[in-house]
Amino acid sequence: MWHLLALGCLFFPGLFILTRRFLQTNFPTLSDGDTVAVSVRFISSVQAMMAVFVGYIIISSCKHVMKDRHWISTAYVMFGAPYMVYDIYAMYLYHWYKQKMKRDNGQNSAPVNIVTDFLKKNALIVLHHLVLLLVCFPIIVYYRKGLGDFFLGCLFLAELSTPFVSFAKLLSRFRKQNTLLYKINGAIILVIFFFCRILVFPYMYWAYGKQYGIPAHRVPFHIPLHCTLGNAILMAPQVYWLTLIIRKARSMKAE
């Protein structure tokens, strides 16, 4: 399994480098910051679609929500773990170019500690990545004892919203916020985010209850407390991000 971890360490940074060089060669009018922005969003979308594909395979293969297993579940966790480290670095690089562009345009009158500024503006997503890497990774690989592949597949499906979010970020960077395409993409984000990142949690409780003949609202009292706490920790940032998406949608409607 460790070879998959090594493969992930090569795949994500390597794909980023190749994508950036492709853009620099074929789209010379793009700035360095633009090539980084597009590359970061492209790699995020690739990882997301891989996770969704893996999640679909797992869910469609596991008839018993607790006991059925699929080899790809742990395999993809091993392969995808380096993405969390890569993505933090990629987001920092993107932030660095953003600050450089502001300095070049004379928008930053005072010196900025880029690392501190990056952590302040991206604290939640960095924390989210670190929790997945330092807490969820060892639990999935070592401590769950092969149980719950179905639920892992459900969580992978949450990544379905990522390509649309990435596309929105790119449209915003290239000043296309007022286009119909941006608004349609925003509506898609809202719907997919709600179903795949919010409703997925009650769906997992419903699936467990159906498997064992327990009403969904009684499931939290029939499973270990740490499972419910873990779900709450994972769901909390999703609810926060959903409120941000709704707030942005309202502001666009008001305009």
Side-chain angles (χ1 to χ4, degrees):
M1 280 294 184
W2 289 103
H3 69 283
L4 293 172
L5 190 69
L7 184 60
C9 290
L10 295 175
F11 178 79
F12 294 108
L15 186 58
F16 173 79
I17 293 170
L18 290 176
T19 303
R20 191 177 175 194
R21 287 184 178 176
F22 172 82
L23 293 171
Q24 289 171 335
T25 302
N26 294 278
F27 300 93
T29 57
L30 292 177
S31 67
D32 287 341
D34 290 335
T35 59
V36 168
V38 174
S39 300
V40 168
R41 298 303 173 187
F42 175 69
I43 308 308
S44 295
S45 299
V46 169
Q47 189 282 141
M49 295 316 299
M50 291 171 66
V52 169
F53 180 67
V54 168
Y56 173 77
I57 291 175
I58 296 171
I59 291 174
S60 59
S61 301
C62 294
K63 304 306 178 185
H64 194 287
V65 299
M66 285 301 297
K67 298 179 181 178
D68 283 357
R69 300 199 63 186
H70 196 290
W71 65 268
I72 202 171
S73 57
T74 303
Y76 187 75
V77 170
M78 295 291 290
F79 173 76
Y83 171 79
M84 301 302 164
V85 178
Y86 148 79
D87 197 44
I88 292 174
Y89 169 75
M91 288 189 298
Y92 171 76
L93 187 62
Y94 171 69
H95 182 77
W96 186 89
Y97 273 105
K98 240 169 111 177
Q99 292 300 319
K100 181 177 182 297
M101 184 177 68
K102 288 181 178 180
R103 289 197 306 270
D104 293 343
N105 294 335
Q107 296 177 24
N108 278 349
S109 56
V112 176
N113 186 316
I114 296 181
V115 175
T116 303
D117 190 56
F118 166 74
L119 291 175
K120 284 182 180 178
K121 292 180 178 177
N122 298 275
L124 187 56
I125 187 65
V126 170
L127 179 62
H128 178 260
H129 279 20
L130 291 177
V131 168
L132 290 178
L133 183 64
L134 301 177
V135 179
C136 296
F137 175 79
I139 289 174
I140 292 169
V141 174
Y142 296 109
Y143 299 116
R144 67 188 179 103
K145 300 177 181 178
L147 297 174
D149 278 15
F150 173 85
F151 300 114
L152 185 59
C154 290
L155 294 176
F156 281 146
L157 290 184
E159 290 294 319
L160 185 60
S161 63
T162 299
F164 300 96
V165 173
S166 295
F167 188 48
K169 295 287 187 181
L170 290 178
L171 288 174
S172 179
R173 180 176 180 86
F174 292 104
R175 299 177 178 86
K176 302 294 183 182
Q177 302 98 313
N178 297 322
T179 62
L180 179 61
L181 180 60
Y182 185 85
K183 294 177 181 179
I184 293 174
N185 186 68
I188 294 172
I189 290 173
L190 185 58
V191 173
I192 293 180
F193 199 99
F194 179 70
F195 277 95
C196 294
R197 288 185 177 256
I198 304 298
L199 287 188
V200 67
F201 290 97
Y203 169 74
M204 290 191 291
Y205 281 91
W206 173 84
Y208 183 95
K210 183 181 179 183
Q211 183 78 66
Y212 290 98
I214 305 169
H217 68 278
R218 298 293 303 171
V219 170
F221 303 100
H222 288 263
I223 62 176
L225 179 60
H226 64 265
C227 294
T228 298
L229 290 176
N231 280 334
I233 291 172
L234 290 175
M235 187 177 179
Q238 314 304 328
V239 173
Y240 172 73
W241 286 323
L242 180 64
T243 60
L244 295 182
I245 293 171
I246 293 173
R247 192 180 304 166
K248 189 168 185 67
R250 285 179 176 173
S251 66
M252 289 180 59
K253 188 176 180 180
E255 293 174 2

